[in-house]
Amino acid sequence: MIGRSRSFSRYVSNNLQLLTLRSSNFVVNDSHRFGSYLNRRLVSIPGRFDDVSVTTSPNPRVSVRSYCSEKKNQGSNEWTEDIEYLDESGSVIYTGKGIRSVEPGVDDHIMVGGLKQPFSNASAVAKIVEVVKRWKWGPEMETHLDKLQFVPNMTHITQALKVTGDGDASLSLFRWSKRQSWYSPSDECYLALIDRLNQSREFEGIQSVFDDLIRDSSKAMVPEFNAFSRIVQYLAKAEKLEVSFCCFKKIQESGCKVDTKTYNSLITLFLDKGLPFKAFEIYENMEGGGCSLDGSTYELMIPSLAKSGRIDAALKLFQQMKEKNLQPGFTIFASLVDSLGKAGRLDTAMKVYMEMQGFRFRPSATMFVSMIESYIKAGKLDTALKIWDEMKKAQFRPNYGLYTMVVESHAKSGKLETAMSIFSDMEKAGFLPTPSTYSCLLEMHAASGQVDPAMKLYNSMSNAGVRPGLNTYTTLLTLLAKKKLVDVAAKILLEMKAMGYSVDVTASDVLMVFIKDASVDLALRWLRFMGSSGIRTNNFIVRQLFESCMKNGLYESAKPLLENYVESAVKVDLILYTSILAHLVRCQEEHNERHLMSILSATKHKAHAFMCGLFTGPEQRKQPVLVFVREFFQSIDYEAEEGAARYFVNVLLNYLVLMGQINRARCVWKVSYENKLFPKAIVFDQHIAWSLDVRNLSVGAALIAVVHTLHRFRKRMLYYGVVPRRIKLVTGPTLKIVVAQMLSSVESPFEVSKVVLRAPGESVSEWFKKPIVQQFLLNEIPSRGDILMHKLNILFPSSAPEIRSLNLPKPLVGGRVM
């Protein structure tokens, strides 16, 4: 019976406590079955029920309790009698003092008999959670929280926040607690609320809590709130970049601190967003704030610094990490090796690579590829091959790109045997080489003049279905042209055309190779092949081939080329016409002269009409020769053709002297001098010195210039009485002998030095008075034919390719020009 009494006592105590929590007014009705049961079964003592007056209301089913707070109005509310608790049969199961109730929000306990029974934390938290879960948020929830029968504390709020599953409800509970007088800032409470908001993804709520936290930390002067770090971490993980960084800055401004994990989360966020320099700023703040770096920080910062090019800073952190006895991870080693290799710091990269192996890390395939690429780009192919062998021993299979790089690098460096060996391994590994790989190998073999390997590679490309590129075709055809394999080159060119490539330029390039190699017969043969295949070339190359034919004396082959050149609406310029005239000057065979004359006629140049008119009589020309020559030279565009006109005068004077047309030659020289083609040839320095410079003239032009100029000097000296101290003829070493021999035939006073013929003015004046000199200067050159013709044939220039330039080179305009 005693056991039953104790059990019932505990049952009554617990249920009355729950009844007290359920209603602030404690109205006993049908829903409170336990209260009804007590009313029916307890011994009725008039007037009192342990500080609670039980009165009868108009509704017989409702009883109203009076609280101890009313004892001032009602006198003493203490019970002096014991109460007997009976069972169903009426037997007494417990006797004791009555249970006194408490006033909600004032008392923090209940009375069980004469003992104070405090509210358990579990009951308090359960009641708070029940209200929050039912009402969620708003005035109704806050009203019910205000009517709790106990005074909550921050422990109750913290525990309730941990249990409440809704973020908005948790935030409402927190806001209500902040308005209570018993509220005090609690780091644990903030942490519980932030965790709940993060689970609900309520990041705006987290931001508002952060503002509350800043205010609480300033009021409470507590800089060590862990909630600060938790907020920044959650915002960073949610990729709220601007918000998290703003919170971080506010924390620093408020003088609060964050932990290493928070710094790491911010660094990770900025690195993920592609903002390494912002991450470095966070890292510098971390160092400046005295926050210790952990292994995670090193794992984040070292690869980031290395990849951004700040290798020295990365190596410094790497050294610090080892000094702290922290073992670097594989990611650190991989990033350092890769970045050092790409930066060309291969020795340091190899040192880190060996150190990594000392930590028993196995290099990855990516690391092998990175190191091989770095050494190849640095041109250290031997070391690259060693790492290549290590990669194979580690049972890593080189990928397609690595095979291509190794093959092409060895081919371009001239190590063709190694390149072909690796190329063979590449094919055995099942990789189909790219056109660029084929082209690289083929081009390098072609550059080294190896025709057979190049053709083998070309056939391999065709068999593999790889379409050769334009550069590959060009390189191969150039090689075949240099080797003079015309038939093979023609076959390859037709295959190139069948592939859809435009072959005109390539075929012209091959033709140009033959021309440069002076293989004129092969060039003509190739040109015929191009014509039969419908392949055209450009006029420039036709002109080059024409000049090559002229140079080699193939006049019969040259004329059709010139006719084709003229028919293509291209005007023959004065330089080309003059070069043909130069061949005529040197020609010593009559049948070749006829061919050359027909070629000159085929040019249809105005200079040829001038030449024909020059050799006709005045009756046919209907004007004097001097007037005729002046009209022709006035038609020349000197701005565009000054150099060409100077070249034409030199060759024409050569031809006229050889033909014995001295008077016509003197007319040409006089007109050319009048038109300032040779503006610095004659210099009058008053009474001191008169000079004639013929260094830039051909042999014929120099002879005519000397005779004509000495005639002018004679007129000045004898007719006007002006005698200079000296007279100079600047000839240069080439023309010195020819001019000296010509003047020696008339006993001239000129003395021969290295490059100048000079004489005193008085001596020349006396020499001019001799009749033979007068006849010599007025009529024609008294030639000693054998010597003069021999010198002219030797000293006349050849039609070298340089004459095509309008700006004639200096040697071409000197004594060696036509």
Side-chain angles (χ1 to χ4, degrees):
M1 189 68 181
I2 295 173
R4 288 179 60 192
S5 298
R6 291 176 179 174
S7 298
F8 185 74
S9 175
R10 286 194 299 272
Y11 175 75
V12 171
S13 174
N14 291 338
N15 278 275
L16 283 177
Q17 183 174 348
L18 289 176
L19 285 171
T20 305
L21 291 175
R22 285 181 183 273
S23 174
S24 60
N25 294 323
F26 203 83
V27 177
V28 181
N29 53 30
D30 287 343
S31 63
H32 300 91
R33 296 179 180 177
F34 186 73
S36 300
Y37 174 77
L38 288 178
N39 286 334
R40 292 195 306 268
R41 295 296 182 184
L42 292 179
V43 176
S44 177
I45 301 177
R48 291 183 181 275
F49 183 74
D50 190 19
D51 293 345
V52 181
S53 299
V54 182
T55 60
T56 303
S57 68
N59 186 348
R61 303 187 61 181
V62 177
S63 298
V64 181
R65 302 180 63 185
S66 297
Y67 296 95
C68 61
S69 59
E70 299 173 357
K71 59 186 178 181
K72 290 183 179 180
N73 299 327
Q74 300 177 359
S76 177
N77 291 327
E78 295 183 358
W79 280 4
T80 58
E81 302 291 339
D82 290 339
I83 296 177
E84 292 183 348
Y85 297 92
L86 307 177
D87 60 7
E88 293 289 343
S89 60
S91 302
V92 177
I93 59 176
Y94 176 73
T95 302
K97 295 291 184 180
I99 300 175
R100 183 176 63 85
S101 185
V102 296
E103 185 176 357
V106 176
D107 296 320
D108 61 351
H109 61 276
I110 60 174
M111 298 296 297
V112 179
L115 300 176
K116 291 182 178 181
Q117 180 68 37
F119 289 102
S120 67
N121 285 336
S123 300
V125 171
K127 182 60 181 175
I128 293 173
V129 171
E130 177 184 352
V131 172
V132 171
K133 283 187 175 182
R134 179 176 180 182
W135 300 104
K136 301 293 184 183
W137 60 276
E140 293 184 350
M141 184 193 77
E142 294 180 358
T143 300
H144 285 80
L145 288 174
D146 291 337
K147 292 181 179 180
L148 290 174
Q149 291 88 350
F150 57 92
V151 180
N153 55 40
M154 292 307 297
T155 302
H156 297 153
I157 300 300
T158 301
Q159 295 300 321
L161 289 173
K162 292 179 180 179
V163 178
T164 306
D166 184 77
D168 289 337
S170 299
L171 188 59
S172 298
L173 175 61
F174 176 75
R175 297 279 184 235
W176 174 80
S177 65
K178 285 203 68 173
R179 292 193 294 271
Q180 308 306 312
S181 59
W182 42 263
Y183 172 80
S184 63
S186 168
D187 191 28
E188 185 180 2
C189 179
Y190 271 112
L191 290 173
L193 176 60
I194 293 166
D195 290 342
R196 180 61 57 198
L197 292 173
N198 180 63
Q199 291 175 2
S200 303
R201 312 295 293 177
E202 296 286 344
F203 297 111
E204 292 184 359
I206 292 178
Q207 295 179 47
S208 65
V209 171
F210 176 79
D211 296 334
D212 294 334
L213 186 57
I214 288 290
R215 288 190 290 270
D216 284 347
S217 64
S218 61
K219 292 177 182 178
M221 301 300 290
V222 181
E224 300 296 335
F225 272 121
N226 293 324
F228 281 127
S229 298
R230 191 74 60 86
I231 287 175
V232 176
Q233 291 172 28
Y234 284 152
L235 291 174
K237 288 179 181 178
E239 298 185 351
K240 304 290 184 180
L241 189 146
E242 295 181 358
V243 177
S244 60
F245 186 69
C246 180
C247 292
F248 172 74
K249 284 297 184 182
K250 287 184 178 180
I251 292 171
Q252 287 188 319
E253 292 170 0
S254 65
C256 299
K257 297 180 180 180
V258 294
D259 56 16
T260 302
K261 188 176 180 181
T262 305
Y263 279 111
N264 290 344
S265 63
L266 282 172
I267 292 172
T268 303
L269 174 61
F270 282 110
L271 292 176
D272 292 341
K273 292 293 184 180
L275 299 170
F277 291 99
K278 207 66 182 176
F280 301 153
E281 180 183 334
I282 300 295
Y283 163 71
E284 291 169 357
N285 288 334
M286 184 178 183
E287 280 191 325
C291 187
S292 61
L293 279 66
D294 60 4
S296 299
T297 310
Y298 286 112
E299 293 285 344
L300 287 170
M301 290 305 303
I302 294 176
S304 301
L305 288 168
K307 290 177 182 177
S308 65
R310 299 172 65 177
I311 301 177
D312 292 330
L315 289 174
K316 181 181 178 181
L317 283 182
F318 179 65
Q319 190 63 31
Q320 288 180 5
M321 186 177 188
K322 292 187 291 184
E323 291 173 357
K324 291 182 179 180
N325 295 323
L326 296 173
Q327 179 174 333
F330 177 78
T331 305
I332 292 178
F333 283 111
S335 62
L336 286 175
V337 169
D338 180 66
S339 300
L340 288 167
K342 289 179 179 178
R345 300 168 65 172
L346 300 179
D347 293 337
T348 309
M350 182 58 72
K351 180 180 177 182
V352 175
Y353 174 74
M354 300 301 294
E355 188 174 352
M356 181 196 72
Q357 292 181 323
F359 280 97
R360 296 185 179 181
F361 285 116
R362 182 170 177 258
S364 64
T366 305
M367 182 178 290
F368 278 122
V369 171
S370 175
M371 292 194 68
I372 292 172
E373 288 180 354
S374 298
Y375 277 98
I376 285 176
K377 290 177 180 178
K380 298 184 177 181
L381 301 182
D382 294 335
T383 308
L385 275 182
K386 291 180 182 178
I387 301 174
W388 172 274
D389 294 335
E390 288 182 17
M391 181 178 182
K392 284 187 164 183
K393 289 179 182 178
Q395 297 183 348
F396 285 116
R397 183 188 180 194
N399 59 22
Y400 179 74
L402 190 60
Y403 264 120
T404 301
M405 176 178 285
V406 174
V407 170
E408 292 184 5
S409 61
H410 282 80
K412 291 176 181 177
S413 64
K415 298 182 177 181
L416 296 178
E417 293 183 2
T418 306
M420 289 302 296
S421 175
I422 300 173
F423 178 77
S424 178
D425 293 341
M426 180 179 181
E427 289 183 319
K428 291 177 182 178
F431 292 117
L432 177 64
T434 62
S436 65
T437 306
Y438 274 118
S439 299
C440 179
L441 288 170
L442 193 151
E443 289 166 16
M444 296 311 299
H445 280 92
S448 61
Q450 301 183 33
V451 179
D452 292 338
M455 287 302 299
K456 184 179 178 181
L457 284 166
Y458 173 76
N459 294 327
S460 177
M461 288 181 75
S462 301
N463 295 333
V466 178
R467 185 177 185 233
L470 180 61
N471 193 50
T472 304
Y473 274 118
T474 303
T475 305
L476 182 59
L477 286 169
T478 303
L479 172 64
L480 294 172
K482 290 180 179 178
K483 296 296 181 180
K484 298 179 172 56
L485 299 173
V486 179
D487 295 333
V488 181
K491 175 179 175 292
I492 299 297
L493 186 69
L494 292 176
E495 291 179 1
M496 178 182 176
K497 186 177 181 181
M499 283 287 184
Y501 289 107
S502 176
V503 296
D504 292 349
V505 176
T506 306
S508 298
D509 291 341
V510 173
L511 179 58
M512 200 65 195
V513 172
F514 290 133
I515 295 173
K516 289 181 178 179
D517 290 344
S519 303
V520 181
D521 293 335
L522 293 178
L524 291 170
R525 181 180 169 189
W526 183 259
L527 184 63
R528 287 192 293 271
F529 159 72
M530 291 174 63
S532 63
S533 302
I535 303 172
R536 297 178 299 176
T537 187
N538 58 63
N539 292 317
F540 174 79
I541 295 180
V542 171
R543 178 168 174 167
Q544 302 300 307
L545 183 55
F546 167 76
E547 293 178 358
S548 296
C549 290
M550 294 292 291
K551 184 178 180 180
N552 288 275
L554 301 175
Y555 302 126
E556 294 182 3
S557 300
K559 185 177 179 181
L561 293 174
L562 181 62
E563 290 174 346
N564 183 43
Y565 185 75
V566 174
E567 289 173 0
S568 62
V570 178
K571 291 180 63 177
V572 174
D573 56 25
L574 186 57
I575 289 181
L576 182 58
Y577 180 85
T578 307
S579 67
I580 301 171
L581 181 61
H583 285 286
L584 180 61
V585 171
R586 291 192 306 272
C587 183
Q588 297 179 358
E589 298 179 2
E590 186 177 350
H591 69 281
N592 285 336
E593 287 183 358
R594 287 195 296 269
H595 283 302
L596 287 168
M597 291 301 294
S598 65
I599 292 173
L600 284 171
S601 178
T603 61
K604 299 180 182 180
H605 195 277
K606 63 182 180 180
H608 187 65
F610 167 72
M611 289 286 294
C612 294
L614 191 62
F615 282 93
T616 60
E619 298 82 8
Q620 293 176 333
R621 282 196 306 268
K622 297 181 180 180
Q623 57 184 343
V625 64
L626 185 60
V627 176
F628 179 72
V629 172
R630 280 176 176 158
E631 285 184 356
F632 172 73
F633 276 90
Q634 287 173 1
S635 66
I636 296 175
D637 182 6
Y638 289 101
E639 291 186 2
E641 295 184 308
E642 181 179 356
R646 193 178 297 118
Y647 174 40
F648 175 68
V649 169
N650 276 286
V651 176
L652 177 58
L653 290 176
N654 271 347
Y655 182 67
L656 292 174
V657 169
L658 286 176
M659 297 298 292
Q661 303 295 319
I662 304 303
N663 290 331
R664 290 177 171 83
R666 293 178 72 163
C667 289
V668 171
W669 168 256
K670 181 177 181 179
V671 172
S672 63
Y673 184 78
E674 288 174 354
N675 285 277
K676 299 182 180 180
L677 288 177
F678 306 99
K680 297 182 180 180
I682 303 174
V683 176
F684 293 99
D685 191 4
Q686 299 297 331
H687 298 285
I688 299 175
W690 295 349
S691 65
L692 170 66
D693 190 346
V694 296
R695 288 176 296 178
N696 293 333
L697 302 180
S698 64
V699 177
L703 296 176
I704 295 298
V706 168
V707 173
H708 186 76
T709 305
L710 288 176
H711 177 63
R712 291 185 63 187
F713 288 173
R714 181 177 178 274
K715 289 175 65 176
R716 278 178 175 252
M717 294 172 71
L718 299 182
Y719 296 162
Y720 302 108
V722 180
V723 180
R725 294 180 186 177
R726 60 183 178 275
I727 293 178
K728 295 190 300 182
L729 302 177
V730 184
T731 60
T734 305
L735 296 173
K736 175 181 66 177
I737 298 174
V738 178
V739 175
Q741 286 180 351
M742 180 184 69
L743 295 178
S744 66
S745 63
V746 288
E747 301 176 356
S748 73
F750 288 94
E751 297 178 356
V752 180
S753 63
K754 290 184 179 181
V755 294
V756 177
L757 277 69
R758 59 169 56 91
E762 294 293 341
S763 300
V764 175
S765 177
E766 293 297 326
W767 179 64
F768 281 154
K769 295 176 183 179
K770 295 180 180 181
I772 189 173
V773 176
Q774 181 180 1
Q775 181 184 2
F776 166 69
L777 298 177
L778 291 178
N779 296 318
E780 58 184 19
I781 300 173
S783 64
R784 297 163 64 178
D786 296 338
I787 296 176
L788 183 57
M789 289 302 297
H790 176 69
K791 292 297 180 182
L792 290 175
N793 286 334
I794 291 176
L795 298 175
F796 280 171
S798 62
S799 56
E802 299 89 77
I803 65 175
R804 291 187 223 104
S805 173
L806 290 178
N807 297 321
L808 303 179
K810 187 174 181 180
L812 196 60
V813 187
R816 294 188 178 89
V817 298
M818 294 185 238

